[in-house]
Amino acid sequence: MKFKMQDKQNQLIERISDSHLVVGVDIAQELHVARAVNFRGIIVGDPLTFENNEEGFAKLLQWINQLKTLRGFASTIVGMEPTGHYWINLSKWLYDQDIEAVTVNPHLVKKNKENRDNSRSKSDKKDALVIADMVKNGYYSFIRHSSETFEKLRVLMSNRDMTVKRLVSAINQINRWVDIVFPELRQVFKDVKGKGAMATLRLFPTPLELRSMKAVDIVEGWKSQMKRQPGIKKAQALIELAVHSVGTRQALEAYKLHLEQLIEEFDLATVQLERVEQEVTSLLKQIPFARNLLAIKGISEIALAGILGESGDLSDFAHGNSLLRHAGLHLSEASSGKWKGQIVLSKRGRSRLRRFLYLATMSLVMNNPDFKELHANNVNVKKMKKMKSIMKLIHKLARVLVGMARKNDSYRSEKIQSISPIAA
């Protein structure tokens, strides 16, 4: 049976009963603001401003309990915007207090600001009230609380992303340095970040130094940096190129200092990346269904760790479509009367999860015979555009991953062709 978004919306609204105290919290770095309404949207109590610490959270709990006692509410639901990272501690604290916490989409909060007073005015108190209204109208999402292992994966993969950015930045700047000071280096070493090129840049980076050296001395220097080093011919070619180099001859000492710092950054990022990836590999071994998923030809440890870090336990999802919605890969349509707009991806979800699902699917299309065949059939027989075929296969991959995780089943090639596509 196909899932309808309207059914979900009705269920979210029906969950809010007349016994619920609905609280909206406007999140900030230091001071949060809370407002409360009942299930009809009638304001309950006065606004509360509380600090982003344990004392402030206790103040919020006391305020909630007082309102529940005075007005006879039995349950509480607290809504908040996932603003940066400031909301995370409050949501986990509420979870520990057995108080249901949900999130609302910041984009929708902005669009609903005028519902209360038909005004474009903005304040923390008004935002908190708008959030409370959205929760009682069913415009909220549940917070997926991950276990320790999945939380570690998410932190490590976020750390890995930052480390990769630093590493790529260092490599790009080293390439720029070579273009300015010694562009002929690439005639000997095609890859500037390779061992031979990096050893040369560490020991004798400028053409001025190389001109006065002998080939034997260069080879000896390489031996101190590498187990397998280039031979005498490359060393001689390097000297000849240095003699006729068109690289700059000004401010060489400053350029050398800059290069030393870039190489230090390159080395540090490389070591940190290796350490993070070792931790990721160790964590994947602790997840029961991860071994079966890694057995799929084309699924790498990094891609799987990225998916699990952002999604959490895949066995908690009811269907692959739930995973797609969590990633923002469900479809969105705009139409009015006779006008039919283009159907596009909503992108209202976790961007890192979308990226890793896409990368994993691309790897499967290149390395997995089943996905390679499906992609070829989509493009050649069904005449789909390549990107449309890839998006369709992402949906298939989501269903495969969730199905295998829920059943703790192994990958079976014959079942891939039998999975019927379901609209996300």
Side-chain angles (χ1 to χ4, degrees):
M1 183 175 67
K2 291 187 177 181
F3 173 82
K4 293 182 179 179
M5 183 60 189
Q6 185 176 343
D7 295 337
K8 179 183 177 182
Q9 192 67 37
N10 290 340
Q11 292 169 10
L12 293 175
I13 295 172
E14 290 169 356
R15 289 184 73 253
I16 309 298
S17 66
D18 57 358
S19 64
H20 267 94
L21 175 68
V22 183
V23 178
V25 179
D26 182 66
I27 298 293
Q29 183 177 14
E30 297 179 355
L31 295 175
H32 307 318
V33 177
R35 300 289 299 271
V37 300
N38 64 10
F39 80 110
R40 294 177 60 191
I42 298 174
I43 298 175
V44 177
D46 297 323
L48 173 72
T49 300
F50 61 100
E51 295 181 348
N52 186 24
N53 54 35
E54 186 177 10
E55 184 180 346
F57 295 169
K59 184 178 179 182
L60 172 66
L61 181 60
Q62 182 183 7
W63 179 75
I64 289 174
N65 289 334
Q66 287 177 349
L67 291 178
K68 288 172 68 176
T69 302
L70 290 173
R71 303 301 177 94
F73 294 111
S75 304
T76 306
I77 182 170
V78 180
M80 63 192 76
E81 287 180 286
T83 306
H85 54 272
Y86 304 124
W87 65 280
I88 296 175
N89 292 336
L90 176 59
S91 69
K92 290 184 177 180
W93 188 85
L94 290 171
Y95 179 77
D96 292 337
Q97 305 301 318
D98 292 326
I99 296 176
E100 184 176 18
V102 296
T103 60
V104 297
N105 192 313
H107 184 74
L108 290 180
V109 173
K110 186 176 181 180
K111 287 195 169 186
N112 281 274
K113 284 188 186 295
E114 298 184 29
N115 288 354
R116 273 278 176 174
D117 54 8
N118 195 29
S119 169
R120 296 182 180 179
S121 63
K122 182 187 184 306
S123 68
D124 294 342
K125 293 180 180 180
K126 180 179 177 180
D127 288 350
L129 187 57
V130 171
I131 292 170
D133 280 340
M134 290 179 61
V135 173
K136 66 96 176 172
N137 288 330
Y139 298 109
Y140 60 89
S141 301
F142 298 108
I143 299 173
R144 302 184 64 86
H145 293 279
S146 301
S147 65
E148 181 75 10
T149 302
F150 293 101
E151 185 71 17
K152 284 182 179 178
L153 274 179
R154 186 177 185 186
V155 173
L156 287 172
M157 292 307 295
S158 176
N159 184 13
R160 182 183 180 275
D161 275 0
M162 298 302 297
T163 305
V164 168
K165 286 180 182 179
R166 287 172 38 231
L167 180 60
V168 171
S169 175
I171 291 171
N172 290 339
Q173 291 185 72
I174 290 173
N175 273 284
R176 177 184 179 274
W177 190 96
V178 170
D179 289 336
I180 295 172
V181 179
F182 192 12
E184 294 81 7
L185 180 67
R186 289 194 181 85
Q187 296 182 33
V188 179
F189 302 106
K190 293 182 179 180
D191 187 6
V192 172
K193 66 179 184 294
K195 292 183 179 180
M198 291 301 295
T200 303
L201 292 174
R202 292 175 199 274
L203 298 171
F204 17 80
T206 65
L208 187 62
E209 294 171 90
L210 288 168
R211 290 171 193 167
S212 59
M213 296 186 67
K214 295 181 180 180
V216 178
D217 296 331
I218 294 175
V219 174
E220 286 298 319
W222 284 338
K223 284 182 180 179
S224 67
Q225 298 283 325
M226 299 179 290
K227 292 182 179 179
R228 295 181 62 184
Q229 67 282 341
I232 197 77
K233 290 184 178 179
K234 281 200 171 183
Q236 189 61 47
L238 201 60
I239 295 172
E240 292 175 1
L241 289 169
V243 172
H244 303 286
S245 176
V246 296
T248 185
R249 300 185 183 184
Q250 292 181 320
L252 289 181
E253 290 302 319
Y255 275 114
K256 286 177 67 175
L257 176 61
H258 185 206
L259 179 63
E260 288 176 9
Q261 293 175 338
L262 291 176
I263 291 176
E264 288 175 3
E265 178 66 18
F266 173 84
D267 292 340
L268 178 61
T270 301
V271 171
Q272 290 178 341
L273 185 61
E274 291 175 357
R275 183 179 176 185
V276 168
E277 292 183 350
Q278 287 173 1
E279 290 290 331
V280 166
T281 301
S282 176
L283 281 173
L284 287 176
K285 294 177 181 178
Q286 301 175 22
I287 300 174
F289 56 80
R291 179 181 296 180
N292 290 333
L293 299 182
L294 287 172
I296 303 174
K297 187 176 181 180
I299 295 288
S300 66
E301 289 183 342
I302 296 302
L304 181 60
I307 293 170
L308 296 180
E310 290 300 309
S311 65
D313 192 345
L314 289 175
S315 60
D316 290 341
F317 288 92
H319 193 275
N321 290 343
S322 302
L323 176 61
L324 294 171
R325 187 170 293 279
H326 188 57
L329 286 170
H330 54 292
L331 301 180
S332 175
E333 179 184 3
S335 60
S336 177
K338 295 182 178 179
W339 177 76
K340 296 291 182 181
Q342 187 178 5
I343 297 177
V344 296
L345 296 175
S346 73
K347 294 188 179 180
R348 298 286 174 83
R350 295 194 171 180
S351 58
R352 189 179 289 122
L353 179 56
R354 291 197 298 273
R355 172 159 58 89
F356 280 110
L357 283 171
Y358 173 79
L359 292 174
T361 304
M362 291 298 293
S363 178
L364 287 170
V365 168
M366 290 186 286
N367 301 296
N368 188 288
D370 301 320
F371 279 80
K372 188 181 294 186
E373 182 181 348
L374 288 171
H375 182 58
N377 183 67
N378 289 339
V379 174
N380 300 326
V381 179
K382 297 182 179 180
K383 303 301 179 182
M384 287 185 187
K385 291 184 178 180
K386 291 183 178 180
M387 185 52 67
K388 185 176 180 180
S389 173
I390 293 296
M391 298 311 300
K392 186 176 181 180
L393 292 177
I394 289 176
H395 289 206
K396 184 177 288 291
L397 174 62
R399 295 193 292 275
V400 170
L401 294 177
V402 172
M404 290 178 62
R406 286 176 63 84
K407 299 176 183 178
N408 198 14
D409 199 3
S410 58
Y411 178 80
R412 283 181 281 177
S413 180
E414 66 274 9
K415 294 193 70 175
I416 298 300
Q417 301 290 345
S418 64
I419 298 177
S420 59
I422 302 176

